[in-house]
């Protein structure tokens, strides 16, 4: 699949699976089931977090409910500007609920920082973040993240939900793109 477009496999399918199980164990410990606030509410950030969200939810040993939000940050296709627009908002009120944002990747941190501020105004009982990937060298704003799957180099990555121009989301691993893909257009 995508013959020649992927320069290297950064994180294999097996590594994602193992780390997801570890993250799920660490998160589950913090949310004892039967809380008066109800089941933990996972908020998946579309579209990048789709696969991580579904695998993570199934790895958790506690009951959860799922909601999705889609946001887009103005900027080029490979970098974010911090100006965020809601493309799809939550269907439900999150006031009084324990909420966990499930993110694919924190790059500059601008999108997540905006999202945290936005969701806080809706008065959840608690609000935390789990992200599969983080690029420590790209961070522009400090965001508090309880659980991080992998810290990765400051390179553009695709696969396991992450896209370049809507392609490569369906790869089962995280890989780096061959530079020829950027330069040739599509
Ligand atoms: P910021 O910079 O606001 O970016 O933390 C967050 C959003 O930007 C996208 N993003 C990527 N998408 N490969 C991708 O496919 C990447 O390497 C990458 N880095 C950032 C992503 O949508 C993320 O939620
Ligand atoms: Mg994207």
């Amino acid at each position: 699949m995508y013959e020649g477009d992927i320069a290297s496999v950064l994180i294999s399918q097996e590594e994602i699976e193992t780390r997801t199980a570890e993250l799920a164990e660490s998160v589950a410990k913090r949310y004892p089931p039967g809380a008066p606030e109800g089941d933990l509410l996972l908020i998946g950030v579309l579209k990048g977090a789709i696969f991580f969200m579904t695998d993570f939810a199934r790895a958790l040993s506690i009951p959860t409910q799922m909601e999705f939000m889609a946001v887009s940050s103005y900027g080029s296709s490979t970098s974010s500007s911090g100006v965020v627009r809601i493309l799809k908002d939550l269907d439900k009120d999150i006031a009084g609920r324990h909420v966990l944002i499930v993110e694919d990747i924190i790059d500059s941190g601008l999108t997540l920082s905006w999202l945290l501020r936005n969701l806080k105004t809706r008065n959840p009982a608690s609000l935390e973040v789990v992200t599969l990937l983080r690029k420590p060298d790209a961070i522009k704003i400090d965001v508090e993240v309880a659980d991080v799957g992998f810290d990765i180099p400051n390179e553009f990555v695709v696969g396991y939900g992450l896209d370049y121009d809507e392609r490569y989301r369906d790869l089962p691993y995280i890989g780096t793109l061959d530079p020829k893909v950027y330069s040739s257009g599509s």
Side-chain angles (χ1 to χ4, degrees):
M1 212 159 55
Y2 305 121
E3 207 63 52
D5 288 3
I6 305 301
S8 68
V9 176
L10 198 61
I11 306 166
S12 71
Q13 193 171 356
E14 292 71 26
E15 288 171 312
I16 295 172
E17 214 176 289
T18 304
R19 189 69 187 124
T20 300
E22 289 170 1
L23 290 172
E25 201 184 325
S26 139
V27 165
K29 277 188 197 142
R30 296 204 300 273
Y31 300 94
E37 294 85 2
D39 296 338
L40 176 63
L41 185 63
L42 303 178
I43 297 185
V45 185
L46 296 171
K47 304 171 195 170
I50 41 169
F51 296 117
F52 180 49
M53 174 83 162
T54 55
D55 287 342
F56 176 73
R58 286 177 292 181
L60 280 171
S61 60
I62 50 167
T64 56
Q65 292 172 19
M66 281 178 255
E67 291 290 327
F68 292 92
M69 230 176 137
V71 295
S72 115
S73 106
Y74 292 101
S76 71
S77 62
T78 56
S79 81
S80 114
S81 63
V83 183
V84 177
R85 185 164 54 117
I86 296 180
L87 302 177
K88 183 218 173 294
D89 207 341
L90 301 172
D91 303 330
K92 295 245 161 59
D93 187 12
I94 61 168
R97 300 289 304 272
H98 289 298
V99 172
L100 182 65
I101 300 176
V102 181
E103 261 283 23
D104 50 352
I105 187 165
I106 302 173
D107 192 299
S108 68
L110 294 169
T111 306
L112 184 60
S113 161
W114 183 92
L115 196 58
L116 281 167
R117 260 180 288 129
N118 181 288
L119 294 181
K120 261 179 206 154
T121 65
R122 308 184 195 196
N123 301 312
S126 68
L127 182 60
E128 286 193 359
V129 181
V130 59
T131 184
L132 180 65
L133 307 172
R134 179 175 63 184
K135 296 179 184 173
D137 298 337
I139 290 288
K140 285 189 188 148
I141 187 163
D142 212 34
V143 275
E144 217 178 290
V145 179
D147 291 278
V148 176
F150 303 91
D151 277 326
I152 61 167
N154 194 4
E155 277 180 76
F156 195 76
V157 294
V158 295
Y160 198 64
L162 292 159
D163 72 304
Y164 175 68
D165 202 12
E166 294 303 325
R167 301 188 78 209
Y168 313 107
R169 290 193 200 276
D170 47 356
L171 284 172
Y173 56 84
I174 307 280
T176 56
L177 267 188
D178 191 296
K180 77 159 196 269
V181 178
Y182 304 102
S183 43
S184 71
S186 58

